[in-house]
Structure formats: structure tokens, C-alpha cells
Amino acid sequence: MRAEPSQIADDDLLRAISQGDESALAALYDRYRLILFSLILRILHDRQEAEDVLQEAFLQVWRRASDFDRERGRAFTWLVTIARSRALDRLRMLSSRSRFVEADEQTVSDEVIDTAQVLAKSEQGEIVRQALRELPDEQRRALLLAYFEGLTQAEIAERLGDPLGTVKTRMRSGLIKLRELLRDRSRGLA
Amino acid sequence: MKHSDYQELLALHAVDALDAGEVREVSSHLESCAECRRELAELSDAAALLAHTAEPAAPSDDVRRRIMREIQSPPRSAAAQSPGVVPMSQALSTAWPSVLRLAAAVAFVALLLGVVTLWRRDAASRREIAELARQVNRQQRELQIERENMARQGEAMAFLNSPDAKKIALSGTPTAQTARATFVYDEKSRHGMLMIEGLPATPPDKAYEVWFIPKGVSPIPGRTFTVDANGRALISDSLPGEAGAPMVVAITLEPKSGSAVPTMPIYLASPAS
């Protein structure tokens, strides 16, 4: 994927953060709080926990900004990876403490949605959702199980009742197809 | 495994769906294969976009306030120069003996005298004077660093004696038998300090990494650090949110940029309680 102005700015923000620039962290937070919070909430289904994890994720960004390596993916990818793994860690911890009560996925109330910013973001979300719709059902399901529930290939195979080899092939084809689809459309996508 | 076999696994790696054994194999292949690293970066970028499919929601404004407060608040004492969570310096100081400090001070005075004498004696020595002045500057910088180190050690001592501080002893595993360390932390302020000695020298492209492993939770990465010539390090870090007693604190050797999951073997670990 080619460099775009918005992502060069992300890299610069991370560099400033690694030098202790607090305003750079604030700017990065303002830029990505919605998408990262949505991701964490999708994994945890609990606003309180999700806000805690969002805070932790940004504190980790603050401490570890110098670890960001452009070679291993975009800044957005790095941020999403931190938020996602923190959320999955929390999910496992909550499950292990058996305090986790499966909440309704649709409990996000209108009042918490920041309309103007969400609209801008959801346009990007729409591109991804559109790309996902073009994937065969079983590929999509396997990918989302891995991504949002943190399941391994073996766990996914068990959950779906499919042979491991089949699941592997589906996830691989799914993600590669997604990459191709997004390559064509990702202009302007953060 | 062949290169093409690894390539097969990259997509699954990008969504963390591989089992632990495969992760190890792929990781070690990635170290030597630039093509696979590029491919994995692209697949990871594609996978990250899956975040956009989550139902949009906004966190309360309080989260931003909490984050900013956290990064601005000094760790323990107002005298500390840098907050414990600020990574500006590697937040790693080595314990210089005070003899060295004294030697540096003596050398500083000697250099000053040298400058004055040369100045009087001969204008042609200007260039030499410039060089000496540079040395003085360097010495001053070193003294400054030394003063900061001393301040940090003072902070560590104050922290050690704090009534709220909890202490965890780490001992060396067969990989690093002479190593030992003490982790002191305060659950209230979430501030922690790790004092380490006897670790083997850090290889050039590697770094040691701290892991917090609360009961029933996968290891949470802490700071990366290197050790001085004596295998010592003093690290200041904030405690990750989930960390708290009972937990195991462990140290592994990782690539310089740190890892998300620990690489075996463990060098130092506290006993599982």
C-alpha cells in the first residue's frame, strides 16, 4: 500500500509521542478514539470495560511509541493491534474470572454515538463492509471469529464443525481476497 | 518447512489464529525473510481494517481526561525529573559508583586548569583550547547525566521505603543462574521499579523485556531494556491495568523492538504464588 499524507502524519505523531510530546498523544487519541473504542467494545460488549481498555491501550502507545516499526505495517495497524490484543486479554481475564456476562450486541445506545465523526468514519467502514460482503459466507465467518473473538484456527474449526484444513484455507483465501479488494478501493481509508 | 509453507501461514498469523508452535516457527522464519515480512505487513494492514466493521461507538470524554492525567502525573516524588511512564530516555539508568563521579569532578577541574594555563601561555594553542573546552562540555554533560542517575536512585530508595510498596523477588533460571532482581510496586499509584543484576550482556540487536503475568491472564508486555557492563539495570515502569497480586514477573530476551508474546527461555522469574 502506498504512503498517503494522513498516514505520514500518523508516523510523525508516533515519533513525537516517543519523544514525550503529550499533545501528540492527545491528537492521536482524538483521531482514532472512535474506531478503536468501537473495536474494543465489539470484543468486550461492555462500555465500562471497553473504556478501561481504551485508556490502557493509549497508555501503552505512550510508553511504547518508539517500538512502532513502519516495516511491519501502518501506524493504524499498530494501534489496532494494541487495542485488539489488550481487549482480547481483558476478555480472557473476564472469562477466567467468570464475571463475564454475555451482553446483547446491540446495546450501543444512540446517545453515545458521536454523529458527525462517526459518519465520516462509517464511510470507511462501509468500504470494508462492502468488501467483506463480497467474500463467501464461510470465509467471512472464520475471519471475524479469529479477529473479534480471538479464536485460533483449531477453535474456529471446532466452533464451525469444519475440518481444520478447510478452515485454514478459507481464512487464508478470505484475507488475501480482502487485501486485493481493499487495494483497489482503499484510497482515503485510514 | 519450505519458504512457500511459511507463506501459507502468514494470513493466519496476521489474524493471530496460528497455534503457539506455528507462531514460533513463523517468527523465526520472518527474522531471515524480508519477502515474508513484507507480505505479513500487507496482510496485517488488511486485517486491521476489519476494525471498521465494528458498530460505531464513542467513549465518554472522561477517558481522554484520564489518559492525559495519567501521562502528566509524576510517579512518586515531585523531585523526580521524569514521570515513570515517560519513555523519553530509555528510562534505564545504571548505578555508577560514586568514585567515578568523584573522578569525573576531578578531571573537570583539571581540564579547567589546563584551559586557563594554555590561554595564558600561548595564543597559538587556541585550537587545543577549543578541543579542551569541548572535553569540558562533554564532562559537564556526563556529570549532568550522573546527577540525574543519582536522583533516580534516590527516587528508587524512597520508593523502596514507602509503606505501600510491595516487593517481589525474581531469581535467575538455568539460562541466567547468576541473575537476580527485585520488583517493587505500589498498587495504588500503579508505579513499579525493577532492579536487576547479573544478567548476561545484551546482544546487539536484542533487548530484555519485562512481562507481567497475573493469574489466569496471558503475559502482558512491560518495558524493554538493556543491561550495563555489570549486567545491571534499574527500570521504572507503570503497572499495566490488569496486573496485580497474585502475579508472576518475568524477563525474557527479545528482538530489540520488543515482542507481544514472550520468547522462551525465561531469564528471570518470580515464583508462582
Side-chain angles (χ1 to χ4, degrees), chain A residues 28-60:
Chain A
L28 197 73
Y29 178 83
D30 292 338
R31 189 176 292 175
Y32 289 119
R33 69 191 177 94
L34 291 174
I35 180 68
L36 296 180
F37 183 69
S38 307
L39 164 67
I40 295 168
L41 186 61
R42 168 77 175 75
I43 291 172
L44 291 170
H45 305 295
D46 179 315
R47 279 193 61 86
Q48 190 67 49
E49 296 287 351
E51 289 191 345
D52 267 12
V53 170
L54 182 67
Q55 178 181 351
E56 268 172 24
F58 272 94
L59 290 178
Q60 184 171 342

PDB file of all heavy atoms in Angstrom, chain A residues 28-60:
ATOM      1  N   LEU A  28      -3.442  12.036  18.549  1.00  0.00           N
ATOM      2  CA  LEU A  28      -3.634  10.663  18.070  1.00  0.00           C
ATOM      3  C   LEU A  28      -4.911  10.065  18.680  1.00  0.00           C
ATOM      4  O   LEU A  28      -5.671   9.361  18.013  1.00  0.00           O
ATOM      5  CB  LEU A  28      -2.427   9.808  18.445  1.00  0.00           C
ATOM      6  CG  LEU A  28      -2.310   8.488  17.680  1.00  0.00           C
ATOM      7  CD1 LEU A  28      -1.888   8.739  16.246  1.00  0.00           C
ATOM      8  CD2 LEU A  28      -1.299   7.562  18.357  1.00  0.00           C
ATOM      9  N   TYR A  29      -5.136  10.393  19.941  1.00  0.00           N
ATOM     10  CA  TYR A  29      -6.352   9.910  20.612  1.00  0.00           C
ATOM     11  C   TYR A  29      -7.593  10.465  19.904  1.00  0.00           C
ATOM     12  O   TYR A  29      -8.517   9.724  19.590  1.00  0.00           O
ATOM     13  CB  TYR A  29      -6.350  10.331  22.087  1.00  0.00           C
ATOM     14  CG  TYR A  29      -7.606   9.904  22.815  1.00  0.00           C
ATOM     15  CD1 TYR A  29      -7.722   8.616  23.313  1.00  0.00           C
ATOM     16  CD2 TYR A  29      -8.683  10.780  22.972  1.00  0.00           C
ATOM     17  CE1 TYR A  29      -8.875   8.200  23.957  1.00  0.00           C
ATOM     18  CE2 TYR A  29      -9.850  10.380  23.611  1.00  0.00           C
ATOM     19  CZ  TYR A  29      -9.943   9.086  24.101  1.00  0.00           C
ATOM     20  OH  TYR A  29     -11.089   8.684  24.713  1.00  0.00           O
ATOM     21  N   ASP A  30      -7.574  11.768  19.648  1.00  0.00           N
ATOM     22  CA  ASP A  30      -8.741  12.382  19.005  1.00  0.00           C
ATOM     23  C   ASP A  30      -8.988  11.775  17.634  1.00  0.00           C
ATOM     24  O   ASP A  30     -10.120  11.612  17.204  1.00  0.00           O
ATOM     25  CB  ASP A  30      -8.548  13.895  18.888  1.00  0.00           C
ATOM     26  CG  ASP A  30      -8.559  14.551  20.267  1.00  0.00           C
ATOM     27  OD1 ASP A  30      -9.112  13.939  21.204  1.00  0.00           O
ATOM     28  OD2 ASP A  30      -7.998  15.652  20.408  1.00  0.00           O
ATOM     29  N   ARG A  31      -7.913  11.415  16.971  1.00  0.00           N
ATOM     30  CA  ARG A  31      -8.052  10.878  15.620  1.00  0.00           C
ATOM     31  C   ARG A  31      -8.630   9.463  15.626  1.00  0.00           C
ATOM     32  O   ARG A  31      -9.396   9.102  14.758  1.00  0.00           O
ATOM     33  CB  ARG A  31      -6.677  10.887  14.945  1.00  0.00           C
ATOM     34  CG  ARG A  31      -6.734  10.566  13.468  1.00  0.00           C
ATOM     35  CD  ARG A  31      -5.363  10.679  12.832  1.00  0.00           C
ATOM     36  NE  ARG A  31      -4.879  12.061  12.803  1.00  0.00           N
ATOM     37  CZ  ARG A  31      -3.662  12.390  12.376  1.00  0.00           C
ATOM     38  NH1 ARG A  31      -2.839  11.464  11.944  1.00  0.00           N
ATOM     39  NH2 ARG A  31      -3.283  13.637  12.375  1.00  0.00           N
ATOM     40  N   TYR A  32      -8.237   8.656  16.583  1.00  0.00           N
ATOM     41  CA  TYR A  32      -8.586   7.230  16.496  1.00  0.00           C
ATOM     42  C   TYR A  32      -9.452   6.690  17.633  1.00  0.00           C
ATOM     43  O   TYR A  32      -9.717   5.507  17.707  1.00  0.00           O
ATOM     44  CB  TYR A  32      -7.297   6.390  16.392  1.00  0.00           C
ATOM     45  CG  TYR A  32      -6.641   6.566  15.056  1.00  0.00           C
ATOM     46  CD1 TYR A  32      -5.366   7.088  14.941  1.00  0.00           C
ATOM     47  CD2 TYR A  32      -7.332   6.239  13.884  1.00  0.00           C
ATOM     48  CE1 TYR A  32      -4.777   7.276  13.704  1.00  0.00           C
ATOM     49  CE2 TYR A  32      -6.764   6.426  12.649  1.00  0.00           C
ATOM     50  CZ  TYR A  32      -5.478   6.943  12.572  1.00  0.00           C
ATOM     51  OH  TYR A  32      -4.910   7.121  11.345  1.00  0.00           O
ATOM     52  N   ARG A  33      -9.890   7.587  18.529  1.00  0.00           N
ATOM     53  CA  ARG A  33     -10.656   7.091  19.681  1.00  0.00           C
ATOM     54  C   ARG A  33     -11.923   6.359  19.241  1.00  0.00           C
ATOM     55  O   ARG A  33     -12.299   5.353  19.835  1.00  0.00           O
ATOM     56  CB  ARG A  33     -10.990   8.222  20.637  1.00  0.00           C
ATOM     57  CG  ARG A  33     -11.985   9.190  20.074  1.00  0.00           C
ATOM     58  CD  ARG A  33     -12.136  10.458  20.898  1.00  0.00           C
ATOM     59  NE  ARG A  33     -13.062  11.333  20.199  1.00  0.00           N
ATOM     60  CZ  ARG A  33     -14.367  11.378  20.449  1.00  0.00           C
ATOM     61  NH1 ARG A  33     -14.878  10.630  21.384  1.00  0.00           N
ATOM     62  NH2 ARG A  33     -15.148  12.178  19.759  1.00  0.00           N
ATOM     63  N   LEU A  34     -12.594   6.865  18.169  1.00  0.00           N
ATOM     64  CA  LEU A  34     -13.870   6.250  17.777  1.00  0.00           C
ATOM     65  C   LEU A  34     -13.670   4.844  17.235  1.00  0.00           C
ATOM     66  O   LEU A  34     -14.297   3.898  17.700  1.00  0.00           O
ATOM     67  CB  LEU A  34     -14.556   7.122  16.722  1.00  0.00           C
ATOM     68  CG  LEU A  34     -15.069   8.459  17.263  1.00  0.00           C
ATOM     69  CD1 LEU A  34     -15.600   9.314  16.129  1.00  0.00           C
ATOM     70  CD2 LEU A  34     -16.141   8.237  18.315  1.00  0.00           C
ATOM     71  N   ILE A  35     -12.778   4.720  16.271  1.00  0.00           N
ATOM     72  CA  ILE A  35     -12.603   3.411  15.650  1.00  0.00           C
ATOM     73  C   ILE A  35     -12.057   2.406  16.668  1.00  0.00           C
ATOM     74  O   ILE A  35     -12.496   1.251  16.720  1.00  0.00           O
ATOM     75  CB  ILE A  35     -11.716   3.510  14.384  1.00  0.00           C
ATOM     76  CG1 ILE A  35     -11.529   2.153  13.734  1.00  0.00           C
ATOM     77  CG2 ILE A  35     -10.354   4.123  14.677  1.00  0.00           C
ATOM     78  CD1 ILE A  35     -12.746   1.585  13.122  1.00  0.00           C
ATOM     79  N   LEU A  36     -11.109   2.855  17.509  1.00  0.00           N
ATOM     80  CA  LEU A  36     -10.522   1.912  18.465  1.00  0.00           C
ATOM     81  C   LEU A  36     -11.522   1.542  19.559  1.00  0.00           C
ATOM     82  O   LEU A  36     -11.603   0.394  19.980  1.00  0.00           O
ATOM     83  CB  LEU A  36      -9.236   2.488  19.082  1.00  0.00           C
ATOM     84  CG  LEU A  36      -8.091   2.718  18.094  1.00  0.00           C
ATOM     85  CD1 LEU A  36      -6.862   3.277  18.806  1.00  0.00           C
ATOM     86  CD2 LEU A  36      -7.731   1.430  17.355  1.00  0.00           C
ATOM     87  N   PHE A  37     -12.305   2.523  19.997  1.00  0.00           N
ATOM     88  CA  PHE A  37     -13.307   2.214  21.014  1.00  0.00           C
ATOM     89  C   PHE A  37     -14.365   1.257  20.437  1.00  0.00           C
ATOM     90  O   PHE A  37     -14.783   0.302  21.108  1.00  0.00           O
ATOM     91  CB  PHE A  37     -13.969   3.495  21.529  1.00  0.00           C
ATOM     92  CG  PHE A  37     -14.966   3.232  22.625  1.00  0.00           C
ATOM     93  CD1 PHE A  37     -14.539   2.802  23.875  1.00  0.00           C
ATOM     94  CD2 PHE A  37     -16.322   3.402  22.412  1.00  0.00           C
ATOM     95  CE1 PHE A  37     -15.452   2.547  24.895  1.00  0.00           C
ATOM     96  CE2 PHE A  37     -17.242   3.149  23.424  1.00  0.00           C
ATOM     97  CZ  PHE A  37     -16.804   2.723  24.659  1.00  0.00           C
ATOM     98  N   SER A  38     -14.772   1.500  19.198  1.00  0.00           N
ATOM     99  CA  SER A  38     -15.762   0.619  18.569  1.00  0.00           C
ATOM    100  C   SER A  38     -15.248  -0.820  18.505  1.00  0.00           C
ATOM    101  O   SER A  38     -15.973  -1.771  18.793  1.00  0.00           O
ATOM    102  CB  SER A  38     -16.079   1.103  17.145  1.00  0.00           C
ATOM    103  OG  SER A  38     -16.452   2.458  17.161  1.00  0.00           O
ATOM    104  N   LEU A  39     -13.973  -0.929  18.134  1.00  0.00           N
ATOM    105  CA  LEU A  39     -13.346  -2.258  18.058  1.00  0.00           C
ATOM    106  C   LEU A  39     -13.326  -2.949  19.428  1.00  0.00           C
ATOM    107  O   LEU A  39     -13.714  -4.114  19.564  1.00  0.00           O
ATOM    108  CB  LEU A  39     -11.913  -2.102  17.521  1.00  0.00           C
ATOM    109  CG  LEU A  39     -10.956  -3.280  17.720  1.00  0.00           C
ATOM    110  CD1 LEU A  39     -11.408  -4.477  16.890  1.00  0.00           C
ATOM    111  CD2 LEU A  39      -9.530  -2.890  17.326  1.00  0.00           C
ATOM    112  N   ILE A  40     -12.888  -2.205  20.440  1.00  0.00           N
ATOM    113  CA  ILE A  40     -12.775  -2.789  21.779  1.00  0.00           C
ATOM    114  C   ILE A  40     -14.159  -3.166  22.311  1.00  0.00           C
ATOM    115  O   ILE A  40     -14.352  -4.233  22.895  1.00  0.00           O
ATOM    116  CB  ILE A  40     -12.070  -1.794  22.736  1.00  0.00           C
ATOM    117  CG1 ILE A  40     -10.629  -1.562  22.284  1.00  0.00           C
ATOM    118  CG2 ILE A  40     -12.078  -2.318  24.168  1.00  0.00           C
ATOM    119  CD1 ILE A  40      -9.934  -0.398  22.977  1.00  0.00           C
ATOM    120  N   LEU A  41     -15.134  -2.281  22.057  1.00  0.00           N
ATOM    121  CA  LEU A  41     -16.499  -2.552  22.538  1.00  0.00           C
ATOM    122  C   LEU A  41     -17.087  -3.769  21.833  1.00  0.00           C
ATOM    123  O   LEU A  41     -17.799  -4.570  22.431  1.00  0.00           O
ATOM    124  CB  LEU A  41     -17.374  -1.314  22.311  1.00  0.00           C
ATOM    125  CG  LEU A  41     -18.794  -1.375  22.893  1.00  0.00           C
ATOM    126  CD1 LEU A  41     -18.747  -1.547  24.403  1.00  0.00           C
ATOM    127  CD2 LEU A  41     -19.582  -0.120  22.537  1.00  0.00           C
ATOM    128  N   ARG A  42     -16.741  -3.923  20.548  1.00  0.00           N
ATOM    129  CA  ARG A  42     -17.226  -5.069  19.781  1.00  0.00           C
ATOM    130  C   ARG A  42     -16.687  -6.378  20.386  1.00  0.00           C
ATOM    131  O   ARG A  42     -17.339  -7.405  20.366  1.00  0.00           O
ATOM    132  CB  ARG A  42     -16.778  -4.926  18.323  1.00  0.00           C
ATOM    133  CG  ARG A  42     -16.925  -6.128  17.442  1.00  0.00           C
ATOM    134  CD  ARG A  42     -18.361  -6.323  17.017  1.00  0.00           C
ATOM    135  NE  ARG A  42     -18.492  -7.434  16.072  1.00  0.00           N
ATOM    136  CZ  ARG A  42     -18.430  -8.713  16.426  1.00  0.00           C
ATOM    137  NH1 ARG A  42     -18.233  -9.051  17.672  1.00  0.00           N
ATOM    138  NH2 ARG A  42     -18.570  -9.660  15.506  1.00  0.00           N
ATOM    139  N   ILE A  43     -15.484  -6.313  20.935  1.00  0.00           N
ATOM    140  CA  ILE A  43     -14.879  -7.505  21.526  1.00  0.00           C
ATOM    141  C   ILE A  43     -15.422  -7.748  22.940  1.00  0.00           C
ATOM    142  O   ILE A  43     -15.713  -8.869  23.322  1.00  0.00           O
ATOM    143  CB  ILE A  43     -13.335  -7.358  21.564  1.00  0.00           C
ATOM    144  CG1 ILE A  43     -12.784  -7.394  20.138  1.00  0.00           C
ATOM    145  CG2 ILE A  43     -12.696  -8.458  22.412  1.00  0.00           C
ATOM    146  CD1 ILE A  43     -11.308  -7.062  20.027  1.00  0.00           C
ATOM    147  N   LEU A  44     -15.621  -6.669  23.716  1.00  0.00           N
ATOM    148  CA  LEU A  44     -15.954  -6.841  25.137  1.00  0.00           C
ATOM    149  C   LEU A  44     -17.442  -6.698  25.467  1.00  0.00           C
ATOM    150  O   LEU A  44     -17.893  -7.173  26.511  1.00  0.00           O
ATOM    151  CB  LEU A  44     -15.147  -5.836  25.974  1.00  0.00           C
ATOM    152  CG  LEU A  44     -13.647  -6.102  26.044  1.00  0.00           C
ATOM    153  CD1 LEU A  44     -12.921  -4.933  26.685  1.00  0.00           C
ATOM    154  CD2 LEU A  44     -13.365  -7.379  26.832  1.00  0.00           C
ATOM    155  N   HIS A  45     -18.189  -6.000  24.613  1.00  0.00           N
ATOM    156  CA  HIS A  45     -19.627  -5.774  24.856  1.00  0.00           C
ATOM    157  C   HIS A  45     -19.912  -5.128  26.194  1.00  0.00           C
ATOM    158  O   HIS A  45     -20.925  -5.409  26.829  1.00  0.00           O
ATOM    159  CB  HIS A  45     -20.409  -7.103  24.796  1.00  0.00           C
ATOM    160  CG  HIS A  45     -20.199  -7.853  23.525  1.00  0.00           C
ATOM    161  ND1 HIS A  45     -20.614  -7.388  22.300  1.00  0.00           N
ATOM    162  CD2 HIS A  45     -19.603  -9.049  23.286  1.00  0.00           C
ATOM    163  CE1 HIS A  45     -20.285  -8.258  21.365  1.00  0.00           C
ATOM    164  NE2 HIS A  45     -19.655  -9.266  21.934  1.00  0.00           N
ATOM    165  N   ASP A  46     -19.017  -4.327  26.695  1.00  0.00           N
ATOM    166  CA  ASP A  46     -19.239  -3.694  27.997  1.00  0.00           C
ATOM    167  C   ASP A  46     -18.522  -2.339  27.965  1.00  0.00           C
ATOM    168  O   ASP A  46     -17.301  -2.282  27.850  1.00  0.00           O
ATOM    169  CB  ASP A  46     -18.664  -4.604  29.100  1.00  0.00           C
ATOM    170  CG  ASP A  46     -18.824  -4.013  30.497  1.00  0.00           C
ATOM    171  OD1 ASP A  46     -18.552  -2.798  30.696  1.00  0.00           O
ATOM    172  OD2 ASP A  46     -19.216  -4.764  31.398  1.00  0.00           O
ATOM    173  N   ARG A  47     -19.309  -1.263  28.049  1.00  0.00           N
ATOM    174  CA  ARG A  47     -18.747   0.083  27.884  1.00  0.00           C
ATOM    175  C   ARG A  47     -17.672   0.393  28.928  1.00  0.00           C
ATOM    176  O   ARG A  47     -16.618   0.933  28.614  1.00  0.00           O
ATOM    177  CB  ARG A  47     -19.842   1.145  28.012  1.00  0.00           C
ATOM    178  CG  ARG A  47     -20.663   1.341  26.755  1.00  0.00           C
ATOM    179  CD  ARG A  47     -21.491   2.598  26.878  1.00  0.00           C
ATOM    180  NE  ARG A  47     -20.664   3.790  27.032  1.00  0.00           N
ATOM    181  CZ  ARG A  47     -20.147   4.476  26.027  1.00  0.00           C
ATOM    182  NH1 ARG A  47     -20.370   4.108  24.785  1.00  0.00           N
ATOM    183  NH2 ARG A  47     -19.411   5.542  26.248  1.00  0.00           N
ATOM    184  N   GLN A  48     -17.969   0.039  30.178  1.00  0.00           N
ATOM    185  CA  GLN A  48     -17.036   0.343  31.260  1.00  0.00           C
ATOM    186  C   GLN A  48     -15.681  -0.325  31.020  1.00  0.00           C
ATOM    187  O   GLN A  48     -14.628   0.311  31.060  1.00  0.00           O
ATOM    188  CB  GLN A  48     -17.634  -0.158  32.586  1.00  0.00           C
ATOM    189  CG  GLN A  48     -16.882   0.294  33.806  1.00  0.00           C
ATOM    190  CD  GLN A  48     -17.000   1.806  33.985  1.00  0.00           C
ATOM    191  OE1 GLN A  48     -18.108   2.340  33.927  1.00  0.00           O
ATOM    192  NE2 GLN A  48     -15.879   2.480  34.162  1.00  0.00           N
ATOM    193  N   GLU A  49     -15.751  -1.624  30.735  1.00  0.00           N
ATOM    194  CA  GLU A  49     -14.514  -2.369  30.461  1.00  0.00           C
ATOM    195  C   GLU A  49     -13.824  -1.809  29.223  1.00  0.00           C
ATOM    196  O   GLU A  49     -12.606  -1.666  29.177  1.00  0.00           O
ATOM    197  CB  GLU A  49     -14.817  -3.864  30.237  1.00  0.00           C
ATOM    198  CG  GLU A  49     -15.389  -4.584  31.448  1.00  0.00           C
ATOM    199  CD  GLU A  49     -14.347  -4.821  32.536  1.00  0.00           C
ATOM    200  OE1 GLU A  49     -13.155  -4.584  32.298  1.00  0.00           O
ATOM    201  OE2 GLU A  49     -14.757  -5.244  33.641  1.00  0.00           O
ATOM    202  N   ALA A  50     -14.622  -1.495  28.207  1.00  0.00           N
ATOM    203  CA  ALA A  50     -14.050  -1.016  26.942  1.00  0.00           C
ATOM    204  C   ALA A  50     -13.334   0.321  27.157  1.00  0.00           C
ATOM    205  O   ALA A  50     -12.267   0.559  26.593  1.00  0.00           O
ATOM    206  CB  ALA A  50     -15.137  -0.880  25.879  1.00  0.00           C
ATOM    207  N   GLU A  51     -13.897   1.185  27.989  1.00  0.00           N
ATOM    208  CA  GLU A  51     -13.241   2.475  28.243  1.00  0.00           C
ATOM    209  C   GLU A  51     -11.934   2.264  29.004  1.00  0.00           C
ATOM    210  O   GLU A  51     -10.935   2.931  28.734  1.00  0.00           O
ATOM    211  CB  GLU A  51     -14.182   3.401  29.024  1.00  0.00           C
ATOM    212  CG  GLU A  51     -15.333   3.879  28.148  1.00  0.00           C
ATOM    213  CD  GLU A  51     -16.147   5.004  28.772  1.00  0.00           C
ATOM    214  OE1 GLU A  51     -16.006   5.234  29.994  1.00  0.00           O
ATOM    215  OE2 GLU A  51     -16.913   5.638  28.033  1.00  0.00           O
ATOM    216  N   ASP A  52     -11.941   1.337  29.939  1.00  0.00           N
ATOM    217  CA  ASP A  52     -10.707   0.998  30.661  1.00  0.00           C
ATOM    218  C   ASP A  52      -9.624   0.532  29.698  1.00  0.00           C
ATOM    219  O   ASP A  52      -8.469   0.943  29.779  1.00  0.00           O
ATOM    220  CB  ASP A  52     -10.978  -0.176  31.623  1.00  0.00           C
ATOM    221  CG  ASP A  52     -11.355   0.334  32.994  1.00  0.00           C
ATOM    222  OD1 ASP A  52     -11.610   1.534  33.117  1.00  0.00           O
ATOM    223  OD2 ASP A  52     -11.397  -0.499  33.929  1.00  0.00           O
ATOM    224  N   VAL A  53     -10.025  -0.365  28.812  1.00  0.00           N
ATOM    225  CA  VAL A  53      -9.055  -0.933  27.870  1.00  0.00           C
ATOM    226  C   VAL A  53      -8.556   0.130  26.895  1.00  0.00           C
ATOM    227  O   VAL A  53      -7.376   0.167  26.554  1.00  0.00           O
ATOM    228  CB  VAL A  53      -9.663  -2.145  27.121  1.00  0.00           C
ATOM    229  CG1 VAL A  53      -8.776  -2.581  25.977  1.00  0.00           C
ATOM    230  CG2 VAL A  53      -9.868  -3.303  28.096  1.00  0.00           C
ATOM    231  N   LEU A  54      -9.440   1.026  26.481  1.00  0.00           N
ATOM    232  CA  LEU A  54      -9.018   2.111  25.587  1.00  0.00           C
ATOM    233  C   LEU A  54      -7.951   2.960  26.281  1.00  0.00           C
ATOM    234  O   LEU A  54      -6.931   3.319  25.682  1.00  0.00           O
ATOM    235  CB  LEU A  54     -10.230   2.976  25.207  1.00  0.00           C
ATOM    236  CG  LEU A  54      -9.951   4.125  24.235  1.00  0.00           C
ATOM    237  CD1 LEU A  54      -9.558   3.584  22.862  1.00  0.00           C
ATOM    238  CD2 LEU A  54     -11.156   5.046  24.096  1.00  0.00           C
ATOM    239  N   GLN A  55      -8.187   3.247  27.540  1.00  0.00           N
ATOM    240  CA  GLN A  55      -7.210   4.029  28.313  1.00  0.00           C
ATOM    241  C   GLN A  55      -5.873   3.286  28.376  1.00  0.00           C
ATOM    242  O   GLN A  55      -4.812   3.846  28.102  1.00  0.00           O
ATOM    243  CB  GLN A  55      -7.742   4.271  29.727  1.00  0.00           C
ATOM    244  CG  GLN A  55      -6.764   5.029  30.606  1.00  0.00           C
ATOM    245  CD  GLN A  55      -7.292   5.246  32.016  1.00  0.00           C
ATOM    246  OE1 GLN A  55      -8.454   4.979  32.290  1.00  0.00           O
ATOM    247  NE2 GLN A  55      -6.452   5.722  32.909  1.00  0.00           N
ATOM    248  N   GLU A  56      -5.947   2.009  28.713  1.00  0.00           N
ATOM    249  CA  GLU A  56      -4.723   1.209  28.783  1.00  0.00           C
ATOM    250  C   GLU A  56      -3.985   1.179  27.456  1.00  0.00           C
ATOM    251  O   GLU A  56      -2.762   1.269  27.406  1.00  0.00           O
ATOM    252  CB  GLU A  56      -5.082  -0.245  29.093  1.00  0.00           C
ATOM    253  CG  GLU A  56      -5.075  -0.564  30.528  1.00  0.00           C
ATOM    254  CD  GLU A  56      -5.621  -1.958  30.729  1.00  0.00           C
ATOM    255  OE1 GLU A  56      -5.552  -2.774  29.777  1.00  0.00           O
ATOM    256  OE2 GLU A  56      -6.137  -2.218  31.819  1.00  0.00           O
ATOM    257  N   ALA A  57      -4.763   1.028  26.381  1.00  0.00           N
ATOM    258  CA  ALA A  57      -4.133   0.938  25.057  1.00  0.00           C
ATOM    259  C   ALA A  57      -3.361   2.220  24.766  1.00  0.00           C
ATOM    260  O   ALA A  57      -2.220   2.181  24.299  1.00  0.00           O
ATOM    261  CB  ALA A  57      -5.195   0.684  23.985  1.00  0.00           C
ATOM    262  N   PHE A  58      -3.948   3.382  25.078  1.00  0.00           N
ATOM    263  CA  PHE A  58      -3.249   4.632  24.786  1.00  0.00           C
ATOM    264  C   PHE A  58      -2.066   4.853  25.735  1.00  0.00           C
ATOM    265  O   PHE A  58      -1.069   5.472  25.350  1.00  0.00           O
ATOM    266  CB  PHE A  58      -4.215   5.817  24.779  1.00  0.00           C
ATOM    267  CG  PHE A  58      -4.820   6.018  23.420  1.00  0.00           C
ATOM    268  CD1 PHE A  58      -6.037   5.443  23.097  1.00  0.00           C
ATOM    269  CD2 PHE A  58      -4.142   6.716  22.431  1.00  0.00           C
ATOM    270  CE1 PHE A  58      -6.580   5.584  21.832  1.00  0.00           C
ATOM    271  CE2 PHE A  58      -4.659   6.866  21.163  1.00  0.00           C
ATOM    272  CZ  PHE A  58      -5.891   6.294  20.859  1.00  0.00           C
ATOM    273  N   LEU A  59      -2.167   4.327  26.951  1.00  0.00           N
ATOM    274  CA  LEU A  59      -1.003   4.433  27.842  1.00  0.00           C
ATOM    275  C   LEU A  59       0.133   3.559  27.313  1.00  0.00           C
ATOM    276  O   LEU A  59       1.305   3.896  27.414  1.00  0.00           O
ATOM    277  CB  LEU A  59      -1.384   4.033  29.276  1.00  0.00           C
ATOM    278  CG  LEU A  59      -2.314   5.042  29.968  1.00  0.00           C
ATOM    279  CD1 LEU A  59      -2.683   4.558  31.364  1.00  0.00           C
ATOM    280  CD2 LEU A  59      -1.692   6.427  30.044  1.00  0.00           C
ATOM    281  N   GLN A  60      -0.256   2.417  26.717  1.00  0.00           N
ATOM    282  CA  GLN A  60       0.776   1.564  26.105  1.00  0.00           C
ATOM    283  C   GLN A  60       1.398   2.276  24.903  1.00  0.00           C
ATOM    284  O   GLN A  60       2.613   2.225  24.689  1.00  0.00           O
ATOM    285  CB  GLN A  60       0.169   0.230  25.676  1.00  0.00           C
ATOM    286  CG  GLN A  60       1.215  -0.729  25.127  1.00  0.00           C
ATOM    287  CD  GLN A  60       0.670  -2.130  24.903  1.00  0.00           C
ATOM    288  OE1 GLN A  60      -0.373  -2.511  25.444  1.00  0.00           O
ATOM    289  NE2 GLN A  60       1.347  -2.899  24.075  1.00  0.00           N
TER     290      GLN A  60
END
